Structure formats: structure tokens, C-alpha cells
Amino acid sequence: MLQSKCVKCVQALSAKARFTIYQKLLSEGKPMTVGQLVKLTKLRQPTVSFHIQELAASGLVSRKKQGRQVLCVAHPECKDCPFTG
């Protein structure tokens, strides 16, 4: 039986934009700003911020405010998922 946290991860990645953002963060392997993600994904800033918030709520992404910028970093695996870790 899947844990409820794992279900949230799967649901978070079911949206194409969130999956794309998550993949970009994973492939970079280092923190990226929301502005960098806007340029890479060609989505609007409020849209990227919304999707980052959803990914953070599921535990797949961490955010850290640095001045006026928000740095985002992807976690390569879900600690609560029975399929990883």
C-alpha cells in the first residue's frame, strides 16, 4: 500500500509543467532561482512559483529565500516512497 506522502509526490509530478520543472532541477544538480526556471521552461513567473510551491508541499523540492530571489533544489528521491530509497 502506498503511503499518503508518496501519493502526493506522484500527483505533484502528474502535471506536465511540474514534471518539467522537477526534471530541470534534477538535471542541473544545483540550486536554481525561479527566474532561471522561468527562462528554461518559458512559463510565466507566477506559474513557475505556483508549481514550485506544489512540488515543495509534496517534499520533492526545497526552497530557500536569498534576498529577493528564491533558490530551488530538487530531492532526487522521495524518502517516503516504497519504490525509491
Side-chain angles (χ1 to χ4, degrees):
M1 180 173 170
L2 291 177
Q3 297 176 353
S4 63
K5 185 108 170 142
C6 183
V7 171
K8 286 182 182 181
C9 292
V10 172
Q11 288 174 339
L13 292 173
S14 67
K16 183 180 178 185
R18 283 194 287 272
F19 184 78
T20 301
I21 290 168
Y22 184 69
Q23 285 295 95
K24 297 281 185 195
L25 286 169
L26 278 178
S27 67
E28 282 297 313
K30 62 181 181 179
M32 295 180 72
T33 65
V34 171
Q36 290 172 315
L37 290 167
V38 167
K39 288 179 185 175
L40 285 173
T41 60
K42 299 186 180 7
L43 297 171
R44 295 178 56 233
Q45 184 274 326
T47 303
V48 171
S49 293
F50 169 77
H51 289 307
I52 291 293
Q53 180 180 347
E54 294 294 309
L55 288 167
S58 71
L60 292 170
V61 170
S62 294
R63 300 173 289 179
K64 181 180 178 185
K65 189 155 177 131
Q66 191 174 53
R68 293 183 66 181
Q69 296 182 337
V70 176
L71 292 173
C72 306
V73 63
H75 302 290
E77 52 188 44
C78 173
K79 67 181 175 75
D80 296 315
C81 184
F83 303 116
T84 63

